[in-house]
Amino acid sequence: MNLKKNLSLIAFLCISFIANAQQKLNSPDGNLEMTFTLDSQGTPTYELTYKQKEVIKPSKLGLELKKEDANAKTDFEWTDKKDIDKLDIKTNLYNGFEIKDVRTSTNDETWQPVWGEEKEIRNQYNELAVILFQPMNDRSIVVRFRLFNDGLGFRYEFPQQKSLNYFVIKEEHSQFAMAGNHIAYWIPGDYDTQEYDYTISRLSEIRGLMQQAITPNSSQTPFSPTGVQTALMMKTDDGLYINLHEAALIDYSCMHLNLDDKNMIFESWLTPDAKGDKGYMQTPCNSPWRTIIVSDDARNILASRITLNLNEPCKIADAASWIKPVKYIGVWWDMITGKGSWAYTDELTSVKLGVTDYSKTKPNGKHSANTANVKRYIDFAAANGFDAVLVEGWNEGWEDWFGNSKDYVFDFLTAYPDFDVQEIHRYAASKGIKMMMHHETSASVRNYERHLDKAYQFMVDNGYNSVKSGYVGNIIPRGEHHYGQWMNNHYLYAVKKAADYKIMVNAHEATRPTGICRTYPNLIGNESARGTEYESFGGNKVYHTTILPFTRLVGGPMDYTPGIFETHCNQMNPANNSQVRSTIARQLALYVTMYSPLQMAADIPENYERFMDAFQFIKDVALDWDKTIYLEAEPGEYITIARKAKGTDDWYIGCTAGENGHDSQLTFDFLEPGKQYVATVYADAKDTDWKDNPQAYTIKKGILNNKSKLNLHAANGGGYAISIKEVKNKSEVKGLKRL
């Protein structure tokens, strides 16, 4: 009897210890430490340090659920609710917990992406899963933490259980308490667009700068004077770089961050649906991972693969056989600048598909997507070793596509009279060129899903294996937002459906990526940020491309569409006085610094033909990589990256600089000892400046080895690019000197 009492006492004491003890988790290298506790109210709380410096101060976790309707029936037989007196307390999924169990594990594996910045990615972490029980509601949740050498990921898991089955999220209350008034590189929080210029400021200054940071867009819904978007980059006064984002955003609403600027605490802020609800859940299920990347070296933020590692492995069995990186040109920039048009005619103010007879209309004479013009692009692509040609504005309906909340806006099948689909297919195939489809949905998502199978089959039938999709404007169903749960499910539905047809997807205006491309690598690119097109709409800030790799690209590659050589838009359209805020040399560098397996040479052929010596770098640069080394990095100032081309010993280097320019002292110790290389350096000239002399550049060729050193200067808004090719024949170095 005494033995039983003693054992019971021991068991009780063990449970009490688990319930009250701090749970600590260290990164594999020991630099990061996460501490989990329950506070006096039973609220899950965590904190994070890096090399004993505070990264996240004690921060609360949990969710608030939407109150159930007391009058709603519980089943088809209209059974009344039996727990009406508990509806208020059932909304609480944020305190009153006790620790039921704690489980730890480790992981160390290496996996190979279908395409990427390196051939192999190491996935090493220590894990802590805390099983929490809430006695007042008789339900359990799991908070799972994974601590990598470069940061922390955590998520909520909701096991299936009688007392937590279907539920609606009112708010997610995940906190990120900052240890100071950090410098932040931010864009306004918005449910419908990421296409904002970055602002650099202290956290305390966000409120005062928000109004001027919210610039006009085709669809936008800002929500708070201190709301910002992820991935959010910050720098502390004591030398830490911190990045907040999310991974594996699946069947959930996109997370923004809302700042309590008195206490410097960020809290998760989910995108609502048309009713204002922020997530409809059915157990078993889980939230996306919330990620905190941290280092005292900015280069390590760029090198982090946490976002990919927190996603599921590839689910496409034969992915490598048909998912291939793509270098393309497109019928696009002349329309973006206003020289050409997407629309076939100027006579129509209203179009009804299947009724409007375009043969009876007068062509406007500036419709860019015509057969003869597209053949020019095909010829140029074939002559210069490109893979594909994108054509926008090929299909009926562009005359009234925008701003009319039009449901049946495109059918994705019917070409304008001046665009011969079959002839284009034949001509492109004869030149070894693939055509890239364009599906602008005008945000009429219901219409797109109705047509999706036929549209994809049309692509297969006519030789298209990739599509650029767009979601410009306010979403239909009306009231939904671009980044809500419903739309996130649509974007993934389109990607999965595309995989059935062996089609690669490049979605514009979609939710910012969260590493899903690991699971579905046919999601070969996204825009989801302010890209090159805005250089024709007034210009991007000079430092824009020195920030994007720290923010938007943390979740996946961006179809940034670089390569503009004629930076004065009035040379394309006299009425457009925008200027691309970049030098030609930096435009070359972006093919390396703005990682993507999908790279566009965005300018028109005639502009490239004026600078074919510089264009050579675009022709040469690889799309897929064995290895990436981040040589220099400081957000808002400069980024210099070296990448080794897949399956070769050739390297490419790119540097992009902000308003202050940048001086690099490069060493090449990453090259293989004992080998010689021929390097071609494309750099800003001494008097180059993005505004006053953007087209001045120098090209220098010489010999390199792993002991070589090179000093290079990037101008204001400038940069440089270097191709480094292994010498395989001594004749290749004849007449060349060491650089």
Side-chain angles (χ1 to χ4, degrees):
M1 196 71 172
N2 288 335
L3 180 60
K4 286 184 178 179
K5 284 183 177 180
N6 288 337
L7 289 173
S8 297
L9 178 62
I10 292 169
F12 174 78
L13 291 173
C14 288
I15 292 169
S16 299
F17 177 76
I18 290 174
N20 296 297
Q22 289 185 336
Q23 307 296 326
K24 290 188 179 292
L25 184 67
N26 292 96
S27 60
D29 64 4
N31 288 333
L32 281 159
E33 183 176 82
M34 191 279 299
T35 303
F36 176 88
T37 58
L38 290 180
D39 69 10
S40 59
Q41 302 299 312
T43 304
T45 306
Y46 78 104
E47 56 189 298
L48 183 67
T49 62
Y50 177 80
K51 296 181 180 178
Q52 300 183 333
K53 291 182 179 179
E54 278 190 316
V55 178
I56 304 293
K57 297 169 66 176
S59 299
K60 296 178 180 180
L61 300 173
L63 296 96
E64 181 181 355
L65 308 186
K66 184 179 180 180
K67 185 177 178 180
E68 297 174 18
D69 183 356
N71 297 313
K73 306 302 179 180
T74 60
D75 56 34
F76 191 67
E77 280 72 37
W78 294 83
T79 305
D80 290 330
K81 282 185 176 294
K82 297 178 181 178
D83 58 353
I84 293 177
D85 59 328
K86 296 182 178 180
L87 296 186
D88 284 321
I89 200 170
K90 286 173 68 177
T91 64
N92 180 342
L93 205 57
Y94 50 84
N95 64 25
F97 288 104
E98 59 188 45
I99 297 179
K100 186 178 180 180
D101 196 7
V102 175
R103 298 170 186 172
T104 60
S105 63
T106 62
N107 185 82
D108 191 359
E109 62 179 341
T110 300
W111 58 278
Q112 293 186 339
V114 175
W115 43 259
E117 296 179 77
E118 50 266 308
K119 184 179 180 180
E120 295 182 334
I121 294 174
R122 188 178 186 184
N123 185 18
Q124 183 188 24
Y125 59 82
N126 293 329
E127 181 176 283
L128 172 70
V130 185
I131 294 90
L132 299 173
F133 179 66
Q134 191 183 49
M136 62 185 175
N137 287 310
D138 188 30
R139 61 194 180 192
S140 297
I141 66 168
V142 180
V143 185
R144 189 176 303 274
F145 299 91
R146 289 181 180 172
L147 196 53
F148 304 77
N149 290 336
D150 46 348
L152 174 69
F154 67 86
R155 74 177 182 187
Y156 305 96
E157 299 176 2
F158 310 98
Q160 190 167 25
Q161 56 203 288
K162 185 178 180 180
S163 53
L164 191 64
N165 193 356
Y166 292 89
F167 62 96
V168 181
I169 298 172
K170 183 179 179 181
E171 299 286 354
E172 181 192 317
H173 295 295
S174 301
Q175 292 185 345
F176 307 84
M178 299 293 102
N181 186 18
H182 306 328
I183 296 170
Y185 307 79
W186 60 274
I187 56 175
D190 195 299
Y191 300 150
D192 284 296
T193 187
Q194 300 119 5
E195 294 174 343
Y196 292 117
D197 251 326
Y198 280 88
T199 299
I200 304 174
S201 76
R202 294 282 180 176
L203 295 177
S204 61
E205 297 172 320
I206 290 174
R207 183 183 296 271
L209 295 170
M210 182 61 71
Q211 189 172 353
Q212 67 189 67
I214 300 173
T215 50
N217 202 276
S218 60
S219 179
Q220 56 189 151
T221 313
F223 61 85
S224 165
T226 57
V228 297
Q229 299 194 43
T230 70
L232 176 67
M233 188 67 193
M234 290 171 285
K235 184 180 181 181
T236 74
D237 290 342
D238 58 353
L240 291 185
Y241 298 87
I242 303 170
N243 184 284
L244 304 180
H245 192 36
E246 62 181 321
L249 174 55
I250 294 174
D251 196 17
Y252 206 84
S253 290
C254 179
M255 180 184 75
H256 311 270
L257 299 169
N258 200 34
L259 177 65
D260 169 359
D261 52 359
K262 291 183 179 178
N263 298 298
M264 299 303 163
I265 299 174
F266 284 108
E267 187 167 289
S268 56
W269 187 277
L270 304 182
T271 304
D273 65 10
K275 294 173 62 179
D277 300 328
K278 296 194 172 184
Y280 282 75
M281 310 297 287
Q282 178 188 358
T283 61
C285 57
N286 49 255
S287 75
W289 296 91
R290 281 65 187 93
T291 62
I292 305 160
I293 306 171
V294 58
S295 179
D296 51 12
D297 188 334
R299 296 175 298 175
N300 292 336
I301 306 297
L302 300 176
S304 174
R305 301 292 176 257
I306 282 179
T307 316
L308 291 172
N309 279 328
L310 289 171
N311 277 269
E312 295 296 317
C314 179
K315 291 188 176 182
I316 302 173
D318 60 344
S321 68
W322 60 272
I323 300 172
K324 306 291 184 184
V326 178
K327 190 181 296 184
Y328 73 107
I329 62 171
V331 182
W332 178 76
W333 185 243
D334 69 331
M335 297 180 285
I336 292 292
T337 58
K339 178 184 179 183
S341 74
W342 287 267
Y344 173 75
T345 180
D346 295 338
E347 292 185 340
L348 300 174
T349 56
S350 176
V351 173
K352 289 193 174 182
L353 299 179
V355 177
T356 301
D357 186 351
Y358 280 93
S359 68
K360 297 179 179 179
T361 63
K362 179 183 177 183
N364 58 23
K366 57 181 182 179
H367 179 231
S368 299
N370 64 79
T371 302
N373 190 41
V374 172
K375 283 185 174 182
R376 289 177 51 251
Y377 281 79
I378 293 171
D379 288 341
F380 185 82
N384 291 284
F386 282 70
D387 303 302
V389 173
L390 165 75
V391 182
E392 296 196 12
W394 68 276
N395 55 317
E396 291 184 355
W398 286 91
E399 287 74 16
D400 66 345
W401 76 282
F402 177 74
N404 295 309
S405 191
K406 186 177 181 180
D407 187 4
Y408 188 24
V409 57
F410 295 116
D411 69 6
F412 314 98
L413 301 171
T414 308
Y416 278 126
D418 62 347
F419 186 81
D420 189 332
V421 174
Q422 283 72 40
E423 173 59 15
I424 291 293
H425 178 198
R426 183 202 66 78
Y427 191 78
S430 74
K431 299 278 186 170
I433 298 296
K434 300 291 289 187
M435 298 303 297
M436 183 180 292
M437 177 55 73
H438 182 237
H439 287 166
E440 175 54 59
T441 68
S442 189
S444 183
V445 181
R446 186 181 77 134
N447 179 60
Y448 192 37
E449 290 193 355
R450 283 197 303 249
H451 288 88
L452 205 53
D453 276 298
K454 288 184 178 178
Y456 285 164
Q457 188 60 55
F458 180 88
M459 287 176 59
V460 172
D461 294 342
N462 292 283
Y464 296 82
N465 68 341
S466 60
V467 58
K468 173 184 175 182
S469 57
Y471 296 87
V472 175
N474 295 325
I475 298 294
I476 299 175
R478 298 173 182 92
E480 292 293 334
H481 296 293
H482 282 75
Y483 313 139
Q485 182 183 23
W486 194 89
M487 281 302 300
N488 290 332
N489 288 344
H490 162 77
Y491 302 133
L492 188 54
Y493 172 77
V495 170
K496 289 180 177 180
K497 180 70 71 173
D500 293 340
Y501 292 86
K502 291 184 166 46
I503 288 170
M504 297 178 287
V505 176
N506 165 30
H508 284 226
E509 296 86 33
T511 299
R512 50 194 172 272
T514 58
I516 294 174
C517 58
R518 177 187 179 184
T519 313
Y520 301 100
N522 67 316
L523 181 58
I524 198 169
N526 285 95
E527 181 195 40
S528 306
R530 192 173 167 118
T532 298
E533 62 184 5
Y534 278 84
E535 298 284 13
S536 181
F537 307 154
N540 296 323
K541 290 180 180 177
V542 178
Y543 56 59
H544 191 58
T545 57
T546 71
I547 294 177
L548 281 173
F550 288 101
T551 54
R552 162 61 186 78
L553 272 72
V554 167
M558 180 178 178
D559 184 26
Y560 189 72
T561 59
I564 303 301
F565 281 13
E566 178 48 75
T567 61
H568 292 89
C569 294
N570 58 16
Q571 297 301 303
M572 298 285 293
N573 172 14
N576 187 342
N577 291 315
S578 288
Q579 183 179 350
V580 180
R581 298 178 185 183
S582 172
T583 68
I584 285 182
R586 180 163 84 167
Q587 288 295 299
L588 302 180
L590 297 179
Y591 289 90
V592 180
T593 62
M594 292 292 293
Y595 168 70
S596 179
L598 179 76
Q599 291 285 13
M600 185 183 194
D603 213 332
I604 64 173
E606 291 83 352
N607 289 337
Y608 288 134
E609 288 166 352
R610 295 161 53 199
F611 306 99
M612 288 304 290
D613 55 351
F615 186 68
Q616 186 64 44
F617 183 84
I618 299 177
K619 292 171 61 175
D620 290 343
V621 67
L623 300 171
D624 203 11
W625 309 100
D626 274 343
K627 189 175 182 179
T628 292
I629 300 173
Y630 300 92
L631 301 175
E632 306 172 299
E634 181 63 30
E637 296 290 339
Y638 54 84
I639 294 172
T640 309
I641 300 174
R643 303 189 194 271
K644 184 182 180 185
K646 180 74 63 80
T648 75
D649 203 24
D650 297 343
W651 289 79
Y652 295 86
I653 296 176
C655 172
T656 177
E659 293 170 330
N660 297 318
H662 180 62
D663 290 308
S664 296
Q665 296 176 327
L666 297 179
T667 59
F668 298 88
D669 53 1
F670 52 84
L671 298 176
E672 189 171 332
K675 287 188 177 182
Q676 280 192 320
Y677 299 81
V678 173
T680 308
V681 181
Y682 305 79
D684 294 322
K686 288 183 179 181
D687 58 347
T688 305
D689 181 89
W690 76 263
K691 188 175 183 179
D692 298 323
N693 194 19
Q695 294 178 331
Y697 58 86
T698 64
I699 301 177
K700 189 176 181 180
K701 199 170 184 178
I703 302 169
L704 283 181
N705 59 34
N706 77 319
K707 296 180 180 179
S708 298
K709 297 180 179 180
L710 189 63
N711 295 335
L712 287 172
H713 174 71
N716 169 22
Y720 58 80
I722 310 174
S723 69
I724 304 171
K725 298 186 178 184
E726 179 189 359
V727 174
K728 296 181 179 179
N729 191 310
K730 289 185 179 181
S731 63
E732 297 173 32
V733 299
K734 190 176 181 180
L736 295 179
K737 298 180 180 179
R738 293 189 178 274
L739 286 176

